[in-house]
Structure formats: C-alpha cells, structure tokens
C-alpha cells in the first residue's frame, strides 16, 4: 500500500483498486502504515552524536 502511493505515485483510490479493497480500507491501512513507519524511524540527534564521538576519542 505504502509503496503504491509513495513510490508509484498512485492515489489512495487507485491503490485501493489495484489491491481490490475499498478506498476507506486503504486509507485506514495507509494511516496505520505511516504510524508504524513514524514510530520506527529514529532521527539521529546531532548533539548525541557529537557527544559519542568526543567520548570515543
């Protein structure tokens, strides 16, 4: 679902049709996928990285 929308550029309605599901189902799945992705990705903290580098040296 996420790939169809983010990479292939399909709309939610088009992705739903490609997957054979209702558009409302596609929107719910997209919302859940984005939440999992958002909760999984760790954005590096530049301050923490500089502290770790200075401690290592």
């Amino acid at each position: 679902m996420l790939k169809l929308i983010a990479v292939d550029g399909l709309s939610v309605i088009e992705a739903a049709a490609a997957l054979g599901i209702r558009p409302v189902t596609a929107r719910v799945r997209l919302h859940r996928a984005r939440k999992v992705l958002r909760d999984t990705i760790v954005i590096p903290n530049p301050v923490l990285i500089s502290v770790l580098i200075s401690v290592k040296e």
Side-chain angles (χ1 to χ4, degrees):
M1 166 70 65
L2 196 55
K3 179 198 174 289
L4 291 174
I5 294 171
V7 177
D8 296 335
L10 272 64
S11 69
V12 174
I13 294 171
E14 293 167 332
L19 295 172
I21 59 176
R22 297 180 319 165
V24 68
T25 304
R27 282 192 289 276
V28 169
R29 290 183 184 177
L30 180 60
H31 173 76
R32 290 177 182 164
R34 285 177 173 159
K35 184 179 183 327
V36 168
L37 190 59
R38 190 173 37 248
D39 294 345
T40 304
I41 292 177
V42 177
I43 299 173
N45 183 334
V47 174
L48 179 60
I49 291 172
S50 66
V51 168
L52 291 174
I53 291 172
S54 67
V55 170
K56 188 177 180 180
E57 293 178 25

